[in-house]
Amino acid sequence: MTTPTQHYSIIFAGVGGQGVLSLAQLTLEAARREGYYILQSEIHGMSQRGGMVNSHVQFSKTPVSSPIITQGTAQMIVATEPLESLRYVSYLNAQGVIISTKSQLKNFAGYPELDFLMKKMEKLPTRLIDTDPLLQQIGFKQGLGTILLGIASQRLPIQKSTWQTVITDLFLPKGQSVVDKNWKAFELGSSL
Amino acid sequence: MNEKQVLALGAEAVAMAAFDCGVQALYGYPGTPSTEVFEKGEELFSEDSNRKAIWAPNEKVALEMGLGSSYLGKRAMVTMKHVGLNVAMDPFVNAAMTGVHGGLIVLVADDPGMHSSQNEQDSRFLADFANVPCFEPTTIQECYDLLPRAFEISEKMQLPILFRLVTRLSHARGVLNRHISLPLTNKGIVPDSDLNNWILIPAYARKQYEKLRTKMDKIVSQIGDLNFLSLKSEKIGVILAGQGKANLDQVASEVPELQNYSQLVVKAYPLDEGLIKKLSAHCDKIYVFEESYPYLEDKARLLSQKAKIHGRRDHTIPFAGELNPLVIRQTLGFEIPVPFENIDDLPIRPPRFCDGCGHMDAYQSLNQALEKLGLKGHRVFGDVGCYTMGSQSPFFSIHTCVEMGASVGMTLGAANSGYSPAIGVIGDSTFIHSGLTSLVPFARSKKNVNLLIMDNRVVAMTGQQVSTGHDELESMLIGLGMKKENIHVLSPLPSQTAKNTEILMEVLKKDEPSVVLFRRECVRSLQRGVFKKQKDEAQA
């Protein structure tokens, strides 16, 4: 059994406050502008207090009915935190990939050692990115999500110009410089 | 036609429909996953001075206000989460008895999977119990399209209607066509001919109950077009409602065999029992996919002569938790490989207090005071809100979280049964929601009962909505019978912790009812300038 072609399923994962839902919304809006049927699921409430956050984004040439991605079918998990990148691996399909930062957010007692995470990742199709030097390079500490989105964009059927317009539309209320910095981060990611 | 395409959450789609079909009054109490319905409505209503969107102190009051607006002939909607309907149950059941005048919708968002709740109760059972029809959308578009229909039926049949969402639909984001634009309706006040409908003394109530049962019989045909049966060649059938349908549709788009299954799709209750009978006569077995309790499944099992019924009740589907496409596939035997096994030994990242939150300082003082009094491990009755996180590491300061306001009653009950000092912890908005009445016997108890009110001026957990009655707690407490000298206002700041600990120790030693107000604004509402914005708007 294979999933229908052109049904894209992506899980965005991270920690409350990292802007995970914004990444999901950017992707959703970009796909909508490319003419796909879209559906996103997000969880509000308890999880937004520095806890686990995830959002399911799906787009397809045929209507998407379930807000929840079918386990075993996602093309990608995009994670702004390495521990969080491991939480939803059962959703990945056989060709799927995890795109995650290496940079840990240890905001609770009992956060595992990096070795523990690395060992889990050994058996998984993980693209672990050392984002700290990249963020330093562009001088924009808040650019983590958009760098990762840039990397993810390499595998998505969305034109660069569409990404640019959705990033502009989302961040313009915060000023042109925020748009420019995010676009720079996205472009860096898309070239890696 | 004023058609426009927007991106919206399911919750927001309901709010837009309420605006577009002429709702004049919107009331609610915050609670995930219902909050966004009110908040979107509030935003839309703020552009029209003829409409009102008002947060109520609790769901019961919200529904009573909705009923008052309905009495005046206006369309009204009331929003709450599923456990809020328990609080509003008295007006809910009795509004069905009186009937309504202007259309009245009770929007209830259930939380299958308990993402942000203490249980996953199914509101359809409460609608059934109250003899109230229930509408249940499957998609974001239906969240919008079904609401005007619900208002029509509500006005035509003079009944309140429960409009049911679940977390996944409320928080699903997708494309919505806004295509309705109706003016505000105004039927005028309840006419003299109907006066007695609203006076539920036994002589009139008996008549009203008879009317209610007749209405419920009639309504089956009124909403009949929303439920449909399609019999196909397969002798396997499915009964689908809400996200059960959404999930099955997803699988059906990938598994062609499913197109041959006979289907009964349910979007409105009560359901014509004949549909279940027809389906069960046609099929050998029927699977029921619904969130979250086995409501249709139980009915189907009672009515089915031939077909075997499968669902949560017979454990074909796991009893607890959400449906998802994989569960549907597993149930129907269309499994797909899951190449990477779920990692089950990852530590959970718990939600935590925001940096600088006053609750942490308050809990530190409480822990220190108990330790210095030789009461380490003493049990403390907690409540529902951000401060519930004080039950977890590193504080472990409170030991119960049951329902809104339980801390006050449980503290008093424990004191009556010999526990001293008895201590409760409650937030300011939870206290206004369901603690005020409990404080009357509390203040008069002559026991060593102590209530710590975590006063941050907002309903913090659900997005910092301004707490009803904020900044007026002292006068309320005195009015309810507390002695002024037993009310202590403390500032939960790191610099004050030592001093606050000393005061708490004195309070806990005293054999009298005491209330300690730990007062400091929520750091998030402060960052967002919630009160500054309110002040500016008041001045403008």
Side-chain angles (χ1 to χ4, degrees):
Chain A
M1 183 68 57
T2 55
T3 53
T5 54
Q6 301 216 317
H7 184 115
Y8 290 86
S9 302
I10 307 149
I11 292 180
F12 291 91
V15 178
Q18 283 192 316
V20 170
L21 295 186
S22 295
L23 298 182
Q25 279 175 39
L26 282 169
T27 310
L28 191 79
E29 179 59 13
R32 186 181 75 85
R33 292 188 191 186
E34 295 274 351
Y36 288 93
Y37 289 96
I38 55 166
L39 198 58
Q40 179 192 337
S41 173
E42 49 194 61
I43 294 295
H44 300 185
M46 285 292 282
S47 51
Q48 285 181 309
R49 293 286 178 278
M52 307 166 285
V53 172
N54 76 75
S55 180
H56 292 199
V57 171
Q58 297 175 83
F59 58 94
S60 174
K61 289 290 180 191
T62 55
V64 185
S65 307
S66 173
I68 308 175
I69 293 171
T70 309
Q71 290 180 55
T73 69
Q75 283 85 357
M76 244 189 283
I77 294 169
V78 180
T80 51
E81 210 287 334
L83 169 60
E84 298 311 314
S85 80
L86 295 171
R87 242 179 254 290
Y88 314 98
V89 297
S90 65
Y91 284 87
L92 277 183
N93 70 23
Q95 297 77 41
V97 61
I98 299 171
I99 296 168
S100 174
T101 175
K102 200 172 168 180
S103 175
Q104 296 159 287
L105 205 163
K106 302 179 180 178
N107 67 350
F108 69 102
Y111 189 100
E113 296 296 319
L114 187 61
D115 277 0
F116 173 89
L117 299 182
M118 297 301 274
K119 207 155 183 190
K120 301 279 184 202
M121 286 178 184
E122 270 172 20
K123 295 168 220 155
L124 295 165
T126 306
R127 192 165 168 202
L128 198 61
I129 318 288
D130 193 2
T131 45
D132 286 350
L134 299 173
L135 292 169
Q136 222 157 36
Q137 182 190 323
I138 55 169
F140 181 46
K141 274 193 290 190
Q142 294 83 15
L144 170 63
T146 20
I147 287 184
L148 296 172
L149 194 61
I151 299 170
S153 73
Q154 298 166 11
R155 290 166 170 260
L156 295 174
I158 291 168
Q159 294 188 32
K160 207 166 173 183
S161 58
T162 306
W163 286 114
Q164 191 166 15
T165 54
V166 295
I167 285 172
T168 304
D169 289 353
L170 183 73
F171 293 111
L172 199 55
K174 294 179 181 171
Q176 186 60 42
S177 77
V178 180
V179 174
D180 294 343
K181 284 174 183 169
N182 274 292
W183 181 243
K184 201 170 164 190
F186 183 92
E187 279 204 298
L188 175 62
S190 65
S191 69
L192 290 172
Chain B
M1 190 172 277
N2 167 30
E3 182 152 345
K4 57 180 179 181
Q5 205 185 58
V6 292
L7 266 186
L9 294 175
E12 294 171 339
V14 179
M16 291 175 192
F19 184 87
D20 293 348
C21 75
V23 171
Q24 189 265 327
L26 180 65
Y27 306 105
Y29 186 80
T32 314
S34 74
T35 312
E36 295 83 355
V37 180
F38 183 95
E39 289 190 325
K40 187 68 192 179
E42 187 181 33
E43 181 194 319
L44 296 169
F45 279 33
S46 70
E47 287 158 23
D48 179 352
S49 60
N50 293 317
R51 310 197 198 218
K52 292 277 176 280
I54 297 168
W55 281 125
N58 70 25
E59 295 84 356
K60 177 178 184 285
V61 178
L63 183 45
E64 288 157 351
M65 293 202 285
L67 198 57
S69 292
S70 166
Y71 192 95
L72 261 288
K74 315 286 196 208
R75 284 190 168 182
M77 186 163 84
V78 182
T79 72
M80 62 193 70
K81 68 184 292 176
H82 58 337
V83 286
L85 184 57
N86 300 340
V87 178
M89 206 56 196
D90 209 353
F92 185 64
V93 172
N94 290 304
M97 289 286 285
T98 58
V100 305
H101 185 47
L104 178 63
I105 303 298
V106 184
L107 179 289
V108 184
D110 290 359
D111 191 14
M114 296 179 244
H115 295 282
S116 297
S117 308
Q118 61 266 54
N119 72 34
E120 55 178 16
Q121 67 183 61
D122 186 331
S123 297
R124 295 175 302 169
F125 279 91
L126 299 187
D128 192 328
F129 174 71
N131 293 297
V132 169
C134 172
F135 279 49
E136 183 173 26
T138 289
T139 63
I140 293 167
Q141 190 64 46
E142 276 180 7
C143 287
Y144 183 89
D145 292 345
L146 284 181
L147 195 78
R149 183 71 194 282
F151 270 105
E152 262 174 49
I153 298 281
S154 172
E155 278 164 4
K156 188 171 177 193
M157 301 304 289
Q158 299 192 332
L159 274 173
I161 297 206
L162 192 152
F163 200 86
R164 183 193 192 220
L165 293 182
V166 295
T167 303
R168 286 294 175 178
L169 181 55
S170 184
H171 292 169
R173 192 182 295 277
V175 173
L176 171 73
N177 284 312
R178 270 180 89 172
H179 58 85
I180 298 162
S181 180
L182 297 173
L184 287 179
T185 52
N186 188 1
K187 297 173 72 182
I189 198 165
V190 166
D192 288 353
S193 56
D194 289 348
L195 269 182
N196 291 347
N197 299 358
W198 294 79
I199 304 171
L200 293 178
I201 54 174
Y204 300 154
R206 286 184 199 111
K207 283 185 191 158
Q208 287 303 106
Y209 185 52
E210 214 174 293
K211 271 197 233 168
L212 175 58
R213 299 311 299 225
T214 313
K215 284 182 195 175
M216 288 304 276
D217 288 342
K218 278 191 195 154
I219 204 150
V220 172
S221 62
Q222 297 279 339
I223 58 176
D225 60 307
L226 293 171
N227 304 320
F228 49 90
L229 178 67
S230 73
L231 299 177
K232 299 277 182 64
S233 54
E234 272 290 343
K235 297 293 174 194
I236 304 173
V238 286
I239 299 177
L240 307 171
Q243 292 306 286
K245 174 165 163 53
N247 283 304
L248 187 112
D249 284 351
Q250 188 65 49
V251 178
S253 73
E254 298 154 13
V255 180
E257 294 98 305
L258 282 180
Q259 323 275 349
N260 301 326
Y261 282 26
S262 298
Q263 282 197 359
L264 171 57
V265 174
V266 181
K267 292 177 184 174
Y269 312 81
L271 176 67
D272 176 1
E273 293 184 346
L275 295 175
I276 293 180
K277 286 181 186 158
K278 278 184 204 158
L279 179 70
S280 63
H282 178 76
C283 296
D284 298 328
K285 57 180 169 183
I286 295 170
Y287 295 90
V288 187
F289 296 113
E290 59 188 331
E291 297 279 26
S292 48
Y293 286 0
Y295 176 79
L296 289 167
E297 181 190 344
D298 284 354
K299 288 200 184 305
R301 194 165 285 118
L302 278 173
L303 293 165
S304 173
Q305 299 279 332
K306 178 167 83 85
K308 200 151 168 28
I309 309 296
H310 298 292
R312 294 193 198 255
R313 183 74 72 191
D314 74 342
H315 299 284
T316 305
I317 303 169
F319 209 96
E322 285 181 301
L323 292 175
N324 63 55
L326 192 68
V327 168
I328 307 261
R329 281 176 169 274
Q330 285 165 344
T331 306
L332 298 177
F334 298 104
E335 285 186 55
I336 49 166
V338 174
F340 302 100
E341 228 174 280
N342 186 47
I343 305 171
D344 48 22
D345 61 344
L346 293 179
I348 295 293
R349 187 186 300 266
R352 54 194 281 276
F353 290 112
C354 304
D355 292 337
C357 174
H359 294 340
M360 295 193 286
D361 303 307
Y363 281 132
Q364 209 167 353
S365 292
L366 175 61
N367 286 358
Q368 283 175 9
L370 287 171
E371 192 168 348
K372 285 186 176 174
L373 289 170
L375 292 170
K376 201 164 184 249
H378 195 71
R379 300 292 166 82
V380 175
F381 300 99
D383 225 299
V384 183
C386 279
Y387 52 92
T388 311
M389 293 188 287
S391 65
Q392 301 298 307
S393 172
F395 298 102
F396 302 111
S397 302
I398 57 171
H399 306 96
T400 65
C401 163
V402 185
E403 41 86 18
M404 297 285 280
S407 60
V408 192
M410 287 179 79
T411 298
L412 189 52
N416 288 334
S417 296
Y419 206 54
S420 182
I423 308 167
V425 172
I426 191 169
D428 55 326
S429 58
T430 311
F431 178 67
I432 300 289
H433 179 287
S434 284
L436 287 172
T437 41
S438 320
L439 205 84
V440 175
F442 181 99
R444 287 159 182 74
S445 69
K446 300 192 173 113
K447 302 274 186 195
N448 185 348
V449 286
N450 307 273
L451 188 64
L452 277 47
I453 302 183
M454 311 292 243
D455 180 5
N456 59 9
R457 306 178 82 198
V458 294
V459 192
M461 180 65 88
T462 53
Q464 304 95 48
Q465 295 80 12
V466 172
S467 174
T468 328
H470 65 89
D471 302 342
E472 294 161 16
L473 288 175
E474 291 97 315
S475 52
M476 286 187 200
L477 291 165
I478 292 167
L480 290 167
M482 283 299 301
K483 284 187 198 162
K484 197 173 176 188
E485 66 267 27
N486 286 348
I487 300 171
H488 307 269
V489 182
L490 305 182
S491 180
L493 281 162
S495 61
Q496 305 293 306
T497 302
K499 193 182 111 199
N500 291 347
T501 302
E502 295 297 320
I503 295 169
L504 265 183
M505 287 172 67
E506 289 311 309
V507 167
L508 294 176
K509 279 191 253 177
K510 204 167 173 181
D511 272 334
E512 280 186 48
S514 299
V515 175
V516 177
L517 291 160
F518 276 109
R519 174 170 296 153
R520 179 148 73 83
E521 187 176 340
C522 165
V523 288
R524 288 214 182 191
S525 69
L526 202 61
Q527 280 161 3
R528 288 178 50 215
V530 170
F531 286 92
K532 189 181 173 296
K533 196 171 152 240
Q534 200 185 44
K535 207 170 142 192
D536 292 348
E537 278 169 8
Q539 279 168 357

